[in-house]
Amino acid sequence: QAQLVESGGGLVQPGGSLRLSCAASGFTLDYYAIGWFRQAPGKEREVVSCITSNDGTTYYADSVKARFTISRDNAKNTVYLQMNSLKPEDTAVYYCATVLEYPIGLCRYNNKYWGQGTQVTVSS
């Protein structure tokens, strides 16, 4: 069964760090641009960051620029989201998904693969 599986979420204090992983099983991630999205309770889903499949071009939402870093390791069939200087407003369920390659700045889901999500809670 082809799917994306997120991991690495948890409870962290403000100012702390987490690294989320998005692992593909049943298909090769190499050919897909990947995006991270999040949804907090009572709020709409929002784009966090995206990365192309080929040249590694990235996009970040203004709210996470300079704090989050997206990367990919095609040998491990995995995309990562390193989250530093976390704030309470970063609390949400984080999802990874395959997105349209161009333009990467739109981070638009391509209706292929969407993960089940991982909870990130930033609280003291």
Side-chain angles (χ1 to χ4, degrees):
Q1 179 181 355
Q3 59 182 346
L4 289 172
V5 179
E6 302 94 336
S7 62
L11 173 63
V12 63
Q13 292 187 341
S17 298
L18 283 174
R19 187 177 79 157
L20 305 184
S21 298
C22 171
S25 64
F27 71 100
T28 300
L29 210 55
D30 298 27
Y31 307 116
Y32 292 93
I34 299 296
W36 284 97
F37 303 82
R38 66 187 182 185
Q39 188 164 21
K43 294 188 177 181
E44 291 189 358
R45 186 178 71 202
E46 62 176 348
V47 170
V48 176
S49 180
C50 289
I51 186 167
T52 57
S53 66
N54 45 19
D55 61 3
T57 300
T58 58
Y59 166 83
Y60 296 95
D62 287 344
S63 59
V64 306
K65 274 181 184 175
R67 299 190 298 123
F68 290 11
T69 302
I70 190 171
S71 62
R72 63 191 302 152
D73 185 340
N74 287 341
K76 294 184 178 180
N77 226 21
T78 301
V79 171
Y80 303 98
L81 185 69
Q82 178 67 43
M83 306 187 297
N84 298 328
S85 302
L86 282 162
K87 305 175 181 180
E89 51 263 44
D90 294 318
T91 295
V93 178
Y94 284 70
Y95 302 90
C96 65
T98 51
V99 298
L100 293 175
E101 193 78 32
Y102 300 107
I104 197 62
L106 289 183
C107 283
R108 184 172 294 167
Y109 176 48
N110 67 357
N111 294 321
K112 286 191 178 293
Y113 301 106
W114 187 275
Q116 85 291 346
T118 186
Q119 176 70 47
V120 171
T121 303
V122 185
S123 175
S124 55

